Amino acid sequence: MSIKPLIILPDPVLRQVSKPIERVDGALRKLADDMLETMYDAPGIGLAAIQVGEPLRMLVIDLAKEDETPAPHVFINPEVLDSADQRSVYEEGCLSIPDYYAEVERPAAVRVKYLDRDGKLQEIEAEGLMATCLQHEIDHLNGVLFIDHISKLKRDMVVKKFKKLARDKPSGSKAPGKLVG
Ligand SMILES: [Zn+2]
């Protein structure tokens, strides 16, 4: 397993729509393991493949607390089948938007079908934090970020801040193409 570099706002890679996975094989499982290791290292509770630069429809989630046994979940080609009318609000953050948090309102429960790491079709009825986390990560697969769910004013401020950070970063990251949000 290895830790992969995270793609950070405003990198346009984050806006790509990820492609469906056609075959669940050893290489894909290796990527899932690397994503889990990268997520644990960060640390975070969810990570989509595009956040490590792989435009594939796969995400990992582990909601276990620090003193609990790890409970890694791998979701391949996840698809929301149903969303509850009821809403819930969580303070969200994102490994691609470090140190920024904002309250986001989403459906309180979702039914999602996906393939597990063995390529077996599964369905989950998620609620609470799992429902929010799944929706946040599935958004990533569609090029959507949690800041797209907050006010335009707040979003513009965050994007501006991260563009400035990227610009001020030393070393070879000053290529003009890099700064297009
Ligand atoms: Zn995220």
Side-chain angles (χ1 to χ4, degrees), residues 50-68:
I50 193 68
Q51 292 178 275
V52 294
E54 299 284 350
L56 296 169
R57 300 189 81 81
M58 177 162 72
L59 56 95
V60 296
I61 291 177
D62 190 336
L63 302 180
K65 299 201 178 67
E66 232 178 294
D67 54 347
E68 293 172 352

Side-chain angles (χ1 to χ4, degrees), residues 51 93-95 136-137 140:
Q51 292 178 275
C94 181
L95 294 180
H136 175 122
E137 301 308 333
H140 274 300

